[in-house]
Amino acid sequence: YGELSVQELSDLLGISPSTVRRDLVSVGDHRFIARTHGGVTMATMINYSDLCINRVAIDAREVRSIALRAAEMIHPGDVIGLSGGQICTHLAFLLRLKENITVVTNAVNVATELVCLPSIQVRLTGGLLHPGSFELIGKALEPGLDGVHIQKFFLGTDGLSVDAGVTGHDEAEATASRDMMAHAATNIVLADSRKFKRTSFAQVAQLSAFQTVITTELVTQSILVEFQQAGIETIIAPLI
């Protein structure tokens, strides 16, 4: 989730390494900062490495870059939706820096990461907890969205193509995403480079149902042109 060394903190803040080390001692118990050997990293409310859930390897640079670009689109007063998945989870981490927003999600871990923030209101949908992920699914999900209006819904994907649209490996999760989309004014796909021109098992929706795709510079220009010609905005996040 990103790590900074003592020297990097020193250069960034314009203070000496010894001052950085002293300051790190004082923030050692901070909820969102974890000390490492020689620096700090972002702390999480959940230890993801020990959980038996379905996790596909994604370039960590792409996860950070896409999430950061998505976070720039979120402003005070916004009501946003978040699906599950690694990129949306990282986006949830970045929301710690935001104020006065409401997050609607069917991902239990996303709600957990945000629950202690007084400036963020979290609405968790109903549903059955999926055995292979953190997402709530099933018939109880949609009624929990009655009367809810989401301005921007950010969702991850397992596949993205001009012909098949946005697809996922799990039919129930795809249905849950559709339910969320039905309550959103703008639907935004967060997709790393490996998801393009790939079709997974269950369709979430045709490409025309989405307004924007956020990805990285690792996607070739020829592929981006295909999506642009299909009428969808493509935002390219520089790798960080």
Side-chain angles (χ1 to χ4, degrees):
Y1 300 110
E3 183 174 338
L4 288 171
S5 68
V6 168
Q7 188 58 57
E8 287 171 328
L9 287 168
S10 173
D11 295 339
L12 183 65
L13 300 173
I15 58 179
S16 69
S18 59
T19 300
V20 170
R21 292 188 185 94
R22 285 196 300 271
D23 289 344
L24 289 181
V25 172
S26 66
V27 300
D29 295 329
H30 195 284
R31 173 188 302 145
F32 299 135
I33 298 174
R35 293 287 304 273
T36 65
H37 181 69
V40 292
T41 189
M42 183 184 295
T44 63
M45 301 294 285
I46 299 171
N47 185 353
Y48 292 91
S49 62
D50 293 337
L51 293 173
C52 298
I53 61 170
N54 299 326
R55 290 178 66 85
V56 178
I58 303 178
D59 187 327
R61 298 174 302 164
E62 290 201 88
V63 172
R64 290 193 300 268
S65 302
I66 294 169
L68 182 61
R69 185 62 185 86
E72 293 172 355
M73 300 174 67
I74 300 170
H75 309 289
D78 280 352
V79 178
I80 69 161
L82 288 181
S83 75
Q86 294 180 59
I87 299 178
C88 284
T89 297
H90 197 87
L91 176 53
F93 299 153
L94 298 178
L95 294 182
R96 296 167 176 175
L97 304 176
K98 302 288 184 178
E99 293 186 351
N100 188 30
I101 63 171
T102 298
V103 178
V104 183
T105 184
N106 70 316
V108 174
N109 68 310
V110 167
T112 301
E113 296 294 350
L114 299 174
V115 69
C116 293
L117 301 175
S119 62
I120 297 180
Q121 178 175 271
V122 179
R123 177 159 182 156
L124 187 62
T125 69
L128 179 70
L129 185 60
H130 193 290
S133 74
F134 290 107
E135 295 190 59
L136 296 173
I137 56 173
K139 294 181 179 179
L141 188 146
E142 205 283 332
L145 294 170
D146 285 349
V148 172
H149 176 71
I150 299 169
Q151 293 167 303
K152 303 162 190 171
F153 176 42
F154 298 89
L155 71 157
T157 181
D158 295 313
L160 182 62
S161 71
V162 171
D163 294 331
V166 172
T167 53
H169 72 277
D170 186 273
E171 187 172 16
E173 290 182 358
T175 300
S177 291
R178 278 198 303 275
D179 288 342
M180 297 277 284
M181 289 174 61
H183 292 263
T186 302
N187 295 302
I188 302 167
V189 184
L190 308 181
D192 65 276
S193 59
R194 297 200 303 177
K195 304 300 172 51
F196 282 79
K197 305 199 77 170
R198 174 183 293 182
T199 301
S200 198
F201 170 68
Q203 185 184 66
V204 175
Q206 291 286 351
L207 201 61
S208 59
F210 302 89
Q211 287 70 47
T212 304
V213 174
I214 304 178
T215 187
T216 73
E217 58 196 62
L218 295 184
V219 181
T220 65
Q221 187 61 34
S222 61
I223 292 177
L224 292 175
V225 168
E226 286 186 44
F227 284 83
Q228 291 163 352
Q229 291 176 342
I232 189 166
E233 178 188 26
T234 55
I235 296 178
I236 311 305
L239 287 178
I240 57 173

